[in-house]
Amino acid sequence: QVQLVESGGGLVQAGGSLRLACAASGRTLSDYAMHWFRQAPGKEREFVAAISGSDTSTYYRGSVRGRFTISTDNAKNTVYLQMNSLKPEDTAVYLCAASRSIETHIEYWGQGTQVTVSS
């Protein structure tokens, strides 16, 4: 069993930055691929970024590539999402998730943290 707890959300002006953190407990984070998803009001949940546990390869949705960076700190068992040049359309609840590998289904979800970007 893996427990995931997100933090770091908040209100920021367009062009600003935030760093989200997802602390994992119960299992070693490097045993999993870690993902960030987001869900805006009235919209479907969408993939944002992922990092492989085996080789730390990273993956991004097109609209955030070059602005967001996913990384892990295995000593802290934490995955981060550094978000720069934020846009109002980035406003959403951001959720951390874990799967056995990049291709397999999500097994664990966090509760989410709200990110609001004002124009």
Side-chain angles (χ1 to χ4, degrees), residues 62-80:
S63 62
V64 308
R65 188 174 291 115
R67 299 189 296 124
F68 291 11
T69 303
I70 188 171
S71 63
T72 56
D73 184 334
N74 289 335
K76 296 183 178 180
N77 225 33
T78 299
V79 59
Y80 300 98

Side-chain angles (χ1 to χ4, degrees), residues 25-82:
S25 60
R27 295 290 297 270
T28 301
L29 192 141
S30 58
D31 289 341
Y32 293 84
M34 299 302 297
H35 311 250
W36 286 97
F37 287 78
R38 66 187 181 188
Q39 188 164 18
K43 294 189 176 181
E44 296 286 322
R45 186 172 295 181
E46 63 183 22
F47 167 79
V48 176
I51 185 166
S52 168
S54 59
D55 63 5
T56 67
S57 296
T58 56
Y59 308 83
Y60 298 94
R61 73 177 298 107
S63 62
V64 308
R65 188 174 291 115
R67 299 189 296 124
F68 291 11
T69 303
I70 188 171
S71 63
T72 56
D73 184 334
N74 289 335
K76 296 183 178 180
N77 225 33
T78 299
V79 59
Y80 300 98
L81 185 68
Q82 178 67 44

